[in-house]
Amino acid sequence: MALLSKSTINQVKSDVDKKKSEQVKYDKRPIIEAGEAILTLKNVEVKNTKKTGAAMLVFEWVKDEKYKPLTEYMTIEGDSKAVQINQEKLVEMMYKGFNYEIQEAETADDLLKQILQFKGKRVKAAIKHAEELYTSTDPVTGQSKMSIIRKPSLWYVGAESDNDFYVNVNKTIKPLSLADKEAYVANASNDNQPSNEPDNQDLPF
């Protein structure tokens, strides 16, 4: 009997290939800068939230190929305050960005059909950044490392031709909460090596 059989070798290779195919492919491009940008509606689809199964619209906006896409999630089904805010934001976004008045809809798919008319169209957008803590693990030492990253979001939009569109750059950055700042400082004080990682890391968004 062979010390290392061909079937064992093939099984290990198969497992390695499977793990490689299942790994998250991180997008190394930078995020869209905070402030004003021209964005194209690349895609929109209906998905369901994991927690309640409620319908939500998932928008994918792009600036150009140099940047990561901007993904926005809008839960539109239910009777919570957040859903009401999202519905109002959707009506405003379509009206200001595309000069389109959303029609009454019975289902999320009814809304989707209306929005898909504007796939590939562009808007002027105000981009906001929120500072967040991100914890990664050093593959060599196995130690956790905390860093500050910025997560972009769509603040509001206007028509591409709107010459009066204005973004207050002083309000485009939402800083860390006090609790997160304290956690970051405490973590940094225990780290002998200063972080040399850039603001835009290889993150899954």
Side-chain angles (χ1 to χ4, degrees):
M1 182 177 180
L3 177 65
L4 187 58
S5 69
K6 185 65 175 176
S7 61
T8 299
I9 295 171
N10 289 338
Q11 182 61 53
V12 171
K13 286 169 60 182
S14 176
D15 290 343
V16 169
D17 290 340
K18 182 179 179 181
K19 288 179 181 179
K20 284 175 65 178
S21 65
E22 292 175 348
Q23 286 177 349
V24 176
K25 302 299 183 183
Y26 294 134
D27 192 335
K28 297 183 179 181
R29 292 173 293 178
I31 59 175
I32 300 171
E33 300 95 340
E36 182 180 325
I38 299 294
L39 298 184
T40 301
L41 180 56
K42 183 177 180 180
N43 193 34
V44 59
E45 57 184 333
V46 173
K47 290 188 176 181
N48 299 100
T49 60
K50 293 181 180 179
K51 189 173 181 179
T52 65
M56 64 179 174
L57 292 169
V58 182
F59 289 83
E60 184 177 1
W61 299 91
V62 293
K63 182 176 180 180
D64 58 48
E65 294 181 355
K66 298 177 182 178
Y67 296 89
K68 293 180 183 179
L70 177 61
T71 305
E72 288 285 314
Y73 301 88
M74 279 190 183
T75 304
I76 55 171
E77 190 175 69
D79 55 6
S80 68
K81 182 63 176 178
V83 168
Q84 180 184 341
I85 292 172
N86 283 341
Q87 290 178 350
E88 291 172 357
K89 183 178 179 180
L90 175 63
V91 172
E92 180 179 316
M93 180 180 72
M94 297 303 296
Y95 187 63
K96 286 186 174 180
F98 301 112
N99 193 30
Y100 177 75
E101 181 179 334
I102 288 281
Q103 303 300 301
E104 288 188 10
E106 295 294 329
T107 67
D109 286 333
D110 291 340
L111 276 179
L112 180 64
K113 290 175 183 177
Q114 296 183 57
I115 299 167
L116 282 174
Q117 301 176 69
F118 300 94
K119 186 175 177 179
K121 303 297 184 182
R122 308 201 307 177
V123 298
K124 275 185 182 174
I127 307 298
K128 209 168 194 176
H129 284 186
E131 291 184 340
E132 295 184 358
L133 289 183
Y134 178 75
T135 302
S136 57
T137 303
D138 189 306
V140 178
T141 65
Q143 293 182 333
S144 294
K145 188 173 184 179
M146 193 175 286
S147 54
I148 300 174
I149 57 96
R150 286 186 177 182
K151 190 171 183 179
S153 63
L154 188 67
W155 189 5
Y156 56 87
V157 304
E160 183 183 5
S161 59
D162 185 359
N163 295 323
D164 296 323
F165 190 82
Y166 172 74
V167 180
N168 186 341
V169 294
N170 295 319
K171 295 184 178 181
T172 56
I173 307 298
K174 181 182 179 182
L176 285 178
S177 66
L178 180 59
D180 282 346
K181 286 180 181 177
E182 291 174 348
Y184 177 73
V185 171
N187 179 269
S189 65
N190 295 325
D191 189 354
N192 295 325
Q193 297 294 329
S195 174
N196 293 319
E197 296 181 21
D199 288 340
N200 279 318
Q201 299 181 61
D202 189 8
L203 302 175
F205 54 73

